[in-house]
Amino acid sequence: MFFDQMPFDIKLEWGQRGARAAAERGDIVIIIDVLSFSSTVVTAIQYGAEIYPYPPPINEQAKAYAQSVDADIVWGRAESLTYGGHSLSPGSFTAADKGKRFVMCSLNGAACTWIAADARAVLIGCALNASVVAEAANRLRIASGCSITVVPCGEKWSDALEQENTLRPSIEDDLGAGMILSRLTGTKSPEAEVCLGAYQNTKERMKELLWDCASGRELRERGYEQDVIHCSQLDHMTTVPILKDHKFVGLSI
């Protein structure tokens, strides 16, 4: 089928539907949600925590799941002000979380991860770990012979009408995907090439663009400017989260 971006080694798909397409092909999948599921997972794993992704919302089923794996719930930023504990802010994780377990829900990153769980491998990428996640994916592709699909998650329109598509492509995920694509080897689909081109054309201003993009402004106006600063650090961390037995652990490369 022409939508599968064959015969290219490196592909790009957006959002939950794209994650499903990649998983159904048996690809190696890199989930990218820069602000901030991916950045929070990378940060937590860097500190030695274990993260169980779970689809939203945080309801009784999610709480029961957390209890079944002996894990704490990671709240949304607003909910954490009420309930305390960890949130989707990467700064809520520290070295004190080594060995602890957390269930993390999010509208985009966790939802895409859950859908892609049956892929050949599911990795988490962002600006923080772009080089090492690309290196890990390159090795997995060569060893397995599988293609790689980069999945920028995007955001959702909160006020979309019933008949409208809720996906809002986001430049932070587009740039994060492009940064990783620039480090992936193999033939690239036209979709991947266009994303890569956007990154190459703006990479010198990447931090500035992340700071001033719609999602960055939203977080800053809500008082989370430190999240934007943290998530905009380029190749700052060396961990590669990989999904194993329903949880993210660090992959040694």
Side-chain angles (χ1 to χ4, degrees):
M1 184 177 179
F2 40 80
F3 288 125
D4 61 12
Q5 299 180 42
M6 294 295 288
F8 300 100
D9 299 320
I10 313 297
K11 308 169 186 179
L12 182 133
E13 301 279 12
W14 274 93
Q16 296 179 31
R17 180 63 185 89
R20 177 161 68 86
E24 289 173 349
R25 290 193 296 260
D27 289 352
I28 298 158
V29 176
I30 305 176
I31 300 292
I32 301 168
D33 183 354
V34 171
L35 295 174
S36 60
F37 173 83
S38 290
S39 300
T40 304
V41 171
V42 168
T43 303
I45 300 300
Q46 179 89 6
Y47 283 129
E50 295 179 358
I51 299 294
Y52 291 78
Y54 196 80
I58 299 176
N59 53 20
E60 292 307 313
Q61 287 82 2
K63 293 175 184 177
Y65 178 72
Q67 187 174 16
S68 73
V69 295
D70 192 26
D72 293 327
I73 287 281
V74 175
W75 301 101
R77 292 175 176 85
E79 290 84 359
S80 70
L81 297 176
T82 300
Y83 300 109
H86 295 71
S87 76
L88 286 171
S89 290
S92 65
F93 288 88
T94 69
D97 296 314
K98 183 176 182 179
K100 296 181 181 179
R101 296 179 174 183
F102 300 91
V103 167
M104 188 179 296
C105 300
S106 80
L107 282 174
N108 303 300
C112 288
T113 299
W114 188 266
I115 290 169
D118 292 331
R120 176 63 177 80
V122 180
L123 309 176
I124 293 293
C126 59
L128 292 171
N129 73 337
S131 290
V132 289
V133 76
E135 181 182 352
N138 285 331
R139 292 185 183 184
L140 287 171
R141 184 182 70 81
I142 292 169
S144 67
C146 297
S147 298
I148 298 170
T149 296
V150 175
V151 180
C153 296
E155 300 289 342
K156 285 187 172 60
W157 290 103
S158 60
D159 59 350
L161 300 177
E162 184 177 352
Q163 69 272 24
E164 293 176 333
N165 187 345
T166 61
L167 175 66
R168 177 175 67 80
S170 56
I171 71 159
E172 68 271 15
D173 293 347
D174 203 32
L175 290 174
M179 186 177 178
I180 293 168
L181 285 165
S182 73
R183 292 152 171 80
L184 291 175
T185 58
T187 59
K188 295 178 175 65
S189 71
E191 290 79 4
E193 288 279 5
V194 169
C195 180
L196 173 59
Y199 164 73
Q200 289 175 329
N201 190 51
T202 57
K203 62 183 179 181
E204 302 302 326
R205 300 174 54 231
M206 186 166 172
K207 289 186 177 181
E208 174 188 342
L209 293 173
L210 294 178
W211 178 258
D212 214 27
C213 71
S215 299
R217 293 199 309 272
E218 177 192 19
L219 287 175
R220 290 192 287 115
E221 289 175 7
R222 293 172 56 196
Y224 299 107
E225 61 274 2
Q226 289 302 315
D227 285 0
V228 182
I229 292 170
H230 177 83
C231 298
S232 300
Q233 297 176 97
L234 309 181
D235 282 329
H236 181 66
M237 295 186 168
T238 58
T239 194
V240 179
I242 185 169
L243 194 64
K244 296 286 187 182
D245 299 323
H246 309 292
K247 65 183 177 184
F248 283 115
V249 296
L251 175 66
S252 299
I253 60 171

